[in-house]
Amino acid sequence: MNTERKFKHMSIVGLGRILMAGLALFVSAAYAQTTDRNSADAALVERVKDAVIKELRESGAIDREVDAGIGRYVERQRAEAAQRERRETDARAATFRPVAKGRDHIRGNPGAPVTLVEYSDFECPFCKSFHLTVKKVVDESKGQVKWVYRHFPLDEIHPVKARREAAASECAAELGGNDAFWKFADRFFELTPSNNKTDIDTVLPQIAREIGLDAAKFASCLASGRHDRRVEEDLQNAYATGGRGTPWSIIVSKSGKKYPLSGAQPYAAVKQLLDLALQDK
Amino acid sequence: MTRHLKNLRAAFGQVFAHPSYIALAGALAILAFLLAVWFPNLGLIGEIFSGSNAPLSAKLGIVLSLLGGIVTNFSLLSAGYTIAISALFGVTVAMIAYLLKQRRVAAAGQNIAIGSGAVVSGVLGIGCAACGTLILGAVLPSLGAAGALAALPLNGQEFGILSVALLLVSLLLISRSIAESNACPISRDAIGRHGTVD
């Protein structure tokens, strides 16, 4: 507090000294102008300049101004960098992750011109009914539509179980490949009641057994938590693409045009939308 | 309760004796219903009409088929309150319009306030019943209340039920304003002072 007051006092004194020196020089300059205007002009300007610079240096005002200027510049640069980073993050998040055969679970003809990417939650009853709708549409499409499944566990209303089931489906894929993943998903939706009422300790090993997976390896995979990150990545991508509830789907035409579809819409709507995507050039 | 029902019947008799108010209520109810069912896919509808080169009939076909979502994308409860909100909204607004036409602005104002609350509450409740309400699901996490929906026994559908209740209250109040406003009540004292009332 004292230092601050002293600093302010010194600044006022310094400023006063500068003003006094300037005033004295101005008076002497005015006087000089009346006596010998022609010869004194250049010398007078030089004298005023030197005196003001000397005063400014001695009072430390220049240093303080320079320091403050540098501080403001650094702050501005920092703010601009933060804003740039935010924009880049937003742009990255808004990007729909392209379908990759090595990473995604694909059902139907992998070379199909139209893709339905579904973000789904194993505990959502609407995902359960929509699973059958999409299965029917893809089966009937004669290789024109492929189906990609990504995870969108809604922790707020299906805590713990939805994520664990998503990880279990990844364990099925790890141990039995793409086919095992889809067998797991089909059987899971057949067997379970949804709305977080699934007895996961019984159902998950049961499905693993039924689809021919090694029970011990499946249990070990599930306990390891090694697919949790992938589930989280899918979830983040679902939000980034605009998903706010499940099932959330994006239909991608051959030209890359995207149609977002929210909810468990009826067969007729899904079929017509896929036909429209097939007609896109 | 009997008085409310009597008022309701009398108000309906007065307002819907005019076919124009029946048309207004019907149109608004249909509009509200369409908006509620299409609400989750307004982005898709925009995309279809602005970005696709498919024929118009194909585009309209998709938009109409999305109405089937009331069966596949709504639980019985949420479909029920969505239909009820739409119908009550149409009737309430038509009755408010009747009040305004009668220049009973003060009575209409009170009902507009309650009706607006009901509509806001109804919009909050829109969405997939078991898989996250669209607006609350998006807004609550950003308010740091991501778990709030799980704490509600019906996962946010409470707002839809609240909306129906508010619209019903609004409808009863407006019915009273319409039914009981044909004559100003005169107290017994006044009758006593002046003798008979002609």
Side-chain angles (χ1 to χ4, degrees):
Chain A
M1 191 69 180
N2 278 342
T3 322
E4 195 181 311
R5 201 177 296 156
K6 206 183 283 178
F7 178 74
K8 274 184 187 166
H9 178 69
M10 278 171 67
S11 298
I12 291 164
V13 170
L15 193 66
R17 284 170 69 192
I18 293 165
L19 287 173
M20 288 300 287
L23 190 65
L25 281 165
F26 177 75
V27 170
S28 65
Y31 178 72
Q33 271 184 344
T34 56
T35 53
D36 191 358
R37 193 172 294 233
N38 291 338
S39 61
D41 276 354
L44 181 64
V45 168
E46 277 310 304
R47 273 173 61 208
V48 170
K49 206 163 80 181
D50 289 347
V52 170
I53 288 172
K54 192 181 166 201
E55 262 324 297
L56 285 170
R57 271 194 190 133
E58 279 173 9
S59 67
I62 287 181
D63 291 343
R64 281 197 298 278
E65 274 307 305
V66 168
D67 286 350
I70 291 171
R72 280 197 298 272
Y73 176 76
V74 169
E75 274 306 305
R76 207 165 45 239
Q77 289 298 312
R78 269 192 200 142
E80 276 172 17
Q83 211 172 8
R84 207 166 35 243
E85 199 175 331
R86 248 193 327 269
R87 272 200 303 269
E88 283 167 4
T89 308
D90 288 349
R92 270 200 305 274
T95 310
F96 166 75
R97 198 178 71 225
V99 175
K101 203 179 168 190
R103 190 196 191 281
D104 283 309
H105 308 298
I106 302 173
R107 189 174 205 155
N109 170 19
V114 169
T115 308
L116 188 151
V117 181
E118 184 196 1
Y119 295 87
S120 180
D121 175 334
F122 278 114
E123 283 299 329
C124 165
F126 296 94
C127 298
K128 180 176 167 146
S129 64
F130 194 60
H131 192 80
L132 295 175
T133 304
V134 182
K135 187 170 181 286
K136 189 177 172 195
V137 173
V138 172
D139 288 349
E140 288 174 358
S141 77
K142 296 174 185 161
Q144 294 296 295
V145 179
K146 65 176 175 288
W147 177 12
V148 172
Y149 188 105
R150 289 177 182 169
H151 303 290
F152 193 176
L154 300 175
D155 297 321
E156 293 87 13
I157 47 179
H158 307 138
V160 184
K161 289 183 182 175
R163 258 183 206 263
R164 198 159 169 77
E165 289 152 5
S169 71
E170 290 303 325
C171 286
E174 179 192 312
L175 299 172
N178 190 55
D179 281 352
F181 171 85
W182 288 103
K183 279 182 191 163
F184 178 94
D186 289 351
R187 191 68 182 127
F188 187 91
F189 280 126
E190 259 172 34
L191 279 179
T192 56
S194 307
N195 284 331
N196 233 27
K197 288 179 189 148
T198 305
D199 178 2
I200 50 174
D201 294 332
T202 310
V203 168
L204 297 180
Q206 180 194 335
I207 297 174
R209 245 189 343 267
E210 281 180 17
I211 63 175
L213 301 177
D214 183 315
K217 283 183 183 168
F218 180 79
S220 152
C221 170
L222 198 52
S224 74
R226 60 177 167 261
H227 294 294
D228 294 353
R229 193 175 158 190
R230 181 201 168 110
V231 173
E232 179 61 26
E233 280 173 7
D234 279 4
L235 174 77
Q236 291 307 322
N237 195 238
Y239 281 124
T241 54
R244 294 293 175 267
T246 53
W248 165 244
S249 309
I250 294 176
I251 290 159
V252 188
S253 74
K254 193 180 179 181
S255 65
K257 186 150 186 47
K258 295 177 190 72
Y259 297 97
L261 181 68
S262 178
Q265 297 304 329
Y267 168 83
V270 180
K271 174 88 173 61
Q272 288 181 64
L273 188 55
L274 289 168
D275 287 344
L276 181 132
L278 272 168
Q279 287 168 27
D280 266 355
K281 291 178 181 92
Chain B
M1 191 66 195
T2 327
R3 206 181 102 225
H4 287 309
L5 287 175
K6 222 170 109 183
N7 283 339
L8 199 62
R9 201 185 307 160
F12 267 48
Q14 269 188 56
V15 176
F16 296 115
H18 308 275
S20 56
Y21 287 102
I22 298 177
L24 178 66
L28 288 170
I30 290 170
L31 192 69
F33 177 77
L34 292 180
L35 270 176
V37 179
W38 282 334
F39 186 79
N41 281 300
L42 290 179
L44 170 70
I45 293 169
E47 197 67 52
I48 288 171
F49 280 99
S50 66
S52 170
N53 45 19
L56 183 66
S57 58
K59 294 175 181 180
L60 288 173
I62 295 170
V63 172
L64 287 177
S65 63
L66 283 173
L67 291 176
I70 190 71
V71 178
T72 58
N73 200 37
F74 286 69
S75 66
L76 197 61
L77 176 65
S78 63
Y81 70 64
T82 301
I83 293 168
I85 289 170
S86 306
L88 287 170
F89 173 74
V91 170
T92 307
V93 175
M95 289 172 90
I96 289 173
Y98 177 83
L99 269 185
L100 287 172
K101 189 114 189 268
Q102 305 286 311
R103 298 184 186 282
R104 302 212 289 266
V105 179
Q110 181 195 25
N111 286 290
I112 289 169
I114 298 172
S116 306
V119 169
V120 169
S121 167
V123 168
L124 288 177
I126 289 176
C128 153
C131 306
T133 59
L134 284 164
I135 294 179
L136 288 176
V139 170
L140 289 182
S142 62
L143 297 176
L149 278 181
L152 295 170
L154 298 173
N155 293 329
Q157 292 186 94
E158 289 82 354
F159 288 94
I161 297 166
L162 175 70
S163 183
V164 173
L166 283 173
L167 279 167
L168 278 173
V169 169
S170 175
L171 195 63
L172 291 177
L173 289 174
I174 209 166
S175 299
R176 194 180 62 185
S177 303
I178 291 171
E180 293 182 354
S181 63
N182 288 334
C184 300
I186 297 173
S187 68
R188 284 177 187 280
D189 294 347
I191 296 170
R193 275 200 305 275
H194 297 284
T196 55
V197 177
D198 293 341

